[in-house]
Amino acid sequence: MFILLWNLVILQIFLSSDSMYRRMLDFFFIFIVVISLSSCGYNRKHGDTISSDVVNNPNTASGKPDPGKLPVIKFREEIHDFGKIIEGETVSYYFKFTNTGKSDLLIADVNTSCGCTVSDYPKPPIRPGQSNFIKVSFNSAGKRGFQTKNIIVVANTQPNSTTIRIKAQVVSPAGEK
Protein backbone atom coordinates (compact mmCIF):
# COMPACT_ATOMS: atom_id res chain seq x y z
CA MET A 1 0.00 0.00 0.00
CA PHE A 2 2.77 2.39 0.98
CA ILE A 3 4.75 1.68 -2.21
CA LEU A 4 1.66 2.15 -4.38
CA LEU A 5 0.99 5.53 -2.78
CA TRP A 6 4.57 6.67 -3.40
CA ASN A 7 4.42 5.51 -7.02
CA LEU A 8 1.31 7.64 -7.52
CA VAL A 9 3.03 10.66 -5.98
CA ILE A 10 6.05 10.20 -8.24
CA LEU A 11 3.82 9.81 -11.30
CA GLN A 12 1.92 13.00 -10.41
CA ILE A 13 5.17 14.95 -10.07
CA PHE A 14 6.42 13.78 -13.46
CA LEU A 15 3.16 14.64 -15.16
CA SER A 16 2.72 18.07 -13.57
CA SER A 17 6.26 19.47 -13.78
CA ASP A 18 7.28 21.74 -16.63
CA SER A 19 11.00 21.28 -16.75
CA MET A 20 13.25 18.25 -16.62
CA TYR A 21 15.38 19.94 -13.92
CA ARG A 22 12.33 20.39 -11.69
CA ARG A 23 11.37 16.73 -12.17
CA MET A 24 14.85 15.57 -11.22
CA LEU A 25 14.84 17.70 -8.05
CA ASP A 26 11.40 16.43 -7.07
CA PHE A 27 12.39 12.84 -7.73
CA PHE A 28 15.59 13.24 -5.67
CA PHE A 29 13.62 14.75 -2.78
CA ILE A 30 11.10 11.90 -2.80
CA PHE A 31 13.92 9.35 -3.03
CA ILE A 32 15.54 10.84 0.09
CA VAL A 33 12.21 10.80 1.96
CA VAL A 34 11.54 7.17 1.02
CA ILE A 35 15.04 6.09 2.07
CA SER A 36 14.72 7.98 5.36
CA LEU A 37 11.36 6.42 6.17
CA SER A 38 12.49 2.92 5.27
CA SER A 39 15.59 3.19 7.47
CA CYS A 40 13.41 3.77 10.53
CA GLY A 41 12.46 0.09 10.51
CA TYR A 42 15.88 -1.07 11.77
CA ASN A 43 15.55 -4.25 13.83
CA ARG A 44 18.05 -5.50 16.41
CA LYS A 45 19.27 -9.04 16.32
CA HIS A 46 17.71 -11.15 19.05
CA GLY A 47 21.12 -11.83 20.64
CA ASP A 48 21.95 -8.14 21.15
CA THR A 49 19.89 -7.65 24.29
CA ILE A 50 19.76 -9.21 27.71
CA SER A 51 16.36 -10.12 29.04
CA SER A 52 15.26 -8.01 32.00
CA ASP A 53 14.39 -11.10 34.03
CA VAL A 54 18.10 -11.97 34.47
CA VAL A 55 18.90 -8.62 36.07
CA ASN A 56 18.47 -8.88 39.81
CA ASN A 57 19.16 -5.61 41.59
CA PRO A 58 18.98 -6.27 45.31
CA ASN A 59 19.87 -2.66 46.16
CA THR A 60 17.15 -0.83 48.02
CA ALA A 61 16.15 2.81 48.37
CA SER A 62 17.70 2.80 51.84
CA GLY A 63 21.08 2.04 50.23
CA LYS A 64 21.48 -1.18 52.23
CA PRO A 65 21.57 -4.11 49.80
CA ASP A 66 20.97 -7.64 50.94
CA PRO A 67 24.50 -9.08 50.61
CA GLY A 68 23.13 -12.62 50.59
CA LYS A 69 21.45 -12.05 47.22
CA LEU A 70 24.26 -10.25 45.38
CA PRO A 71 26.59 -11.76 42.79
CA VAL A 72 30.23 -11.81 43.88
CA ILE A 73 33.16 -11.85 41.47
CA LYS A 74 36.17 -13.72 42.87
CA PHE A 75 39.39 -13.77 40.82
CA ARG A 76 41.88 -16.61 41.18
CA GLU A 77 44.54 -13.88 41.09
CA GLU A 78 44.15 -10.13 40.77
CA ILE A 79 47.70 -9.34 39.61
CA HIS A 80 49.65 -11.04 36.83
CA ASP A 81 53.35 -10.35 36.23
CA PHE A 82 54.57 -11.12 32.70
CA GLY A 83 58.17 -10.67 33.86
CA LYS A 84 60.64 -9.44 31.24
CA ILE A 85 59.27 -8.97 27.73
CA ILE A 86 60.86 -7.46 24.64
CA GLU A 87 59.59 -4.09 23.46
CA GLY A 88 57.11 -4.61 20.62
CA GLU A 89 55.77 -7.92 21.91
CA THR A 90 52.07 -8.38 22.57
CA VAL A 91 51.37 -10.65 25.51
CA SER A 92 48.04 -11.95 26.83
CA TYR A 93 46.74 -13.43 30.06
CA TYR A 94 43.40 -14.99 30.98
CA PHE A 95 42.17 -13.89 34.41
CA LYS A 96 39.96 -16.68 35.75
CA PHE A 97 37.04 -15.67 37.95
CA THR A 98 34.11 -17.37 39.66
CA ASN A 99 30.71 -16.02 40.62
CA THR A 100 30.60 -16.99 44.32
CA GLY A 101 27.39 -15.04 44.93
CA LYS A 102 23.72 -16.05 44.94
CA SER A 103 22.52 -14.38 41.71
CA ASP A 104 23.65 -14.02 38.09
CA LEU A 105 26.80 -11.97 37.49
CA LEU A 106 26.60 -9.48 34.62
CA ILE A 107 29.83 -7.83 33.50
CA ALA A 108 28.83 -4.46 32.06
CA ASP A 109 32.27 -3.31 30.90
CA VAL A 110 36.00 -3.81 31.30
CA ASN A 111 38.00 -0.58 31.13
CA THR A 112 41.75 -0.43 30.65
CA SER A 113 44.08 2.33 31.79
CA CYS A 114 45.78 2.80 28.41
CA GLY A 115 45.26 2.13 24.71
CA CYS A 116 48.11 -0.39 24.80
CA THR A 117 45.92 -2.76 26.84
CA VAL A 118 42.77 -4.39 25.48
CA SER A 119 40.33 -6.82 27.03
CA ASP A 120 37.75 -9.38 26.02
CA TYR A 121 35.11 -10.47 28.54
CA PRO A 122 32.02 -12.71 28.59
CA LYS A 123 28.76 -10.93 27.72
CA PRO A 124 26.16 -13.51 28.87
CA PRO A 125 25.28 -13.79 32.56
CA ILE A 126 27.53 -15.98 34.73
CA ARG A 127 25.40 -18.21 36.97
CA PRO A 128 26.28 -18.68 40.67
CA GLY A 129 29.14 -21.16 41.02
CA GLN A 130 30.22 -20.84 37.38
CA SER A 131 33.66 -19.68 36.27
CA ASN A 132 34.85 -17.82 33.19
CA PHE A 133 37.79 -15.75 31.93
CA ILE A 134 38.65 -12.17 31.08
CA LYS A 135 41.39 -11.97 28.45
CA VAL A 136 43.78 -9.04 28.79
CA SER A 137 46.36 -8.26 26.08
CA PHE A 138 49.23 -5.80 26.45
CA ASN A 139 51.07 -4.34 23.44
CA SER A 140 54.52 -3.20 24.57
CA ALA A 141 55.32 -1.21 21.41
CA GLY A 142 56.78 2.16 22.45
CA LYS A 143 56.98 1.17 26.11
CA ARG A 144 60.16 0.64 28.12
CA GLY A 145 60.89 -0.12 31.73
CA PHE A 146 58.50 -1.29 34.41
CA GLN A 147 54.86 -1.13 33.32
CA THR A 148 51.74 -1.60 35.44
CA LYS A 149 48.31 -1.44 33.83
CA ASN A 150 45.00 -1.35 35.68
CA ILE A 151 41.94 -3.12 34.32
CA ILE A 152 38.62 -2.13 35.91
CA VAL A 153 35.83 -4.71 35.75
CA VAL A 154 32.39 -3.10 36.08
CA ALA A 155 29.64 -5.53 37.10
CA ASN A 156 26.41 -5.84 39.08
CA THR A 157 28.36 -6.49 42.28
CA GLN A 158 28.78 -4.49 45.48
CA PRO A 159 31.02 -2.51 45.01
CA ASN A 160 30.31 -2.30 41.31
CA SER A 161 33.96 -2.30 40.18
CA THR A 162 36.93 -4.56 40.78
CA THR A 163 40.48 -3.74 39.71
CA ILE A 164 42.85 -6.35 38.32
CA ARG A 165 46.41 -5.56 37.19
CA ILE A 166 49.09 -6.67 34.82
CA LYS A 167 52.79 -5.90 35.22
CA ALA A 168 55.80 -6.31 32.97
CA GLN A 169 59.36 -5.16 32.59
CA VAL A 170 59.77 -4.08 28.97
CA VAL A 171 63.36 -4.40 27.74
CA SER A 172 64.99 -3.22 24.51
CA PRO A 173 65.30 -5.68 21.65
CA ALA A 174 68.75 -7.27 21.29
CA GLY A 175 71.26 -4.89 19.73
CA GLU A 176 69.51 -1.68 20.86
CA LYS A 177 70.50 0.53 23.74
Side-chain angles (χ1 to χ4, degrees):
M1 180 70 176
F2 179 74
I3 294 173
L4 179 63
L5 180 64
W6 277 112
N7 285 335
L8 291 174
V9 169
I10 291 170
L11 182 61
Q12 179 65 30
I13 289 172
F14 277 118
L15 294 176
S16 65
S17 297
D18 293 340
S19 72
M20 183 65 155
Y21 179 72
R22 172 76 179 169
R23 285 186 213 168
M24 286 175 37
L25 279 177
D26 289 343
F27 180 75
F28 180 72
F29 175 74
I30 291 172
F31 178 75
I32 295 298
V33 169
V34 168
I35 295 297
S36 298
L37 290 174
S38 65
S39 67
C40 294
Y42 170 75
N43 289 326
R44 285 183 164 241
K45 294 178 187 173
H46 292 295
D48 287 351
T49 59
I50 296 176
S51 172
S52 62
D53 62 337
V54 299
V55 179
N56 178 14
N57 186 359
N59 288 321
T60 63
S62 69
K64 298 176 184 175
D66 181 358
K69 294 181 180 179
L70 289 171
V72 177
I73 189 166
K74 177 70 176 158
F75 285 92
R76 183 173 58 189
E77 60 181 321
E78 294 182 359
I79 300 174
H80 177 73
D81 190 347
F82 288 110
K84 286 186 181 181
I85 62 173
I86 298 172
E87 180 185 355
E89 275 187 294
T90 298
V91 291
S92 297
Y93 184 74
Y94 290 84
F95 283 93
K96 183 176 183 178
F97 66 90
T98 303
N99 177 5
T100 60
K102 301 292 184 198
S103 61
D104 289 352
L105 171 67
L106 295 169
I107 298 177
D109 200 7
V110 177
N111 300 307
T112 57
S113 59
C114 142
C116 60
T117 308
V118 295
S119 64
D120 186 24
Y121 61 94
K123 309 314 186 263
I126 310 299
R127 304 264 181 228
Q130 287 184 334
S131 296
N132 212 318
F133 297 91
I134 294 175
K135 179 184 178 185
V136 177
S137 298
F138 170 64
N139 182 351
S140 64
K143 308 287 184 193
R144 288 204 178 161
F146 290 98
Q147 301 289 318
T148 300
K149 303 298 174 190
N150 295 325
I151 299 96
I152 300 169
V153 180
V154 180
N156 62 334
T157 57
Q158 193 70 16
N160 70 342
S161 64
T162 304
T163 302
I164 53 179
R165 290 177 179 79
I166 55 171
K167 300 188 321 185
Q169 181 183 0
V170 182
V171 296
S172 301
E176 281 189 37
K177 286 189 175 185

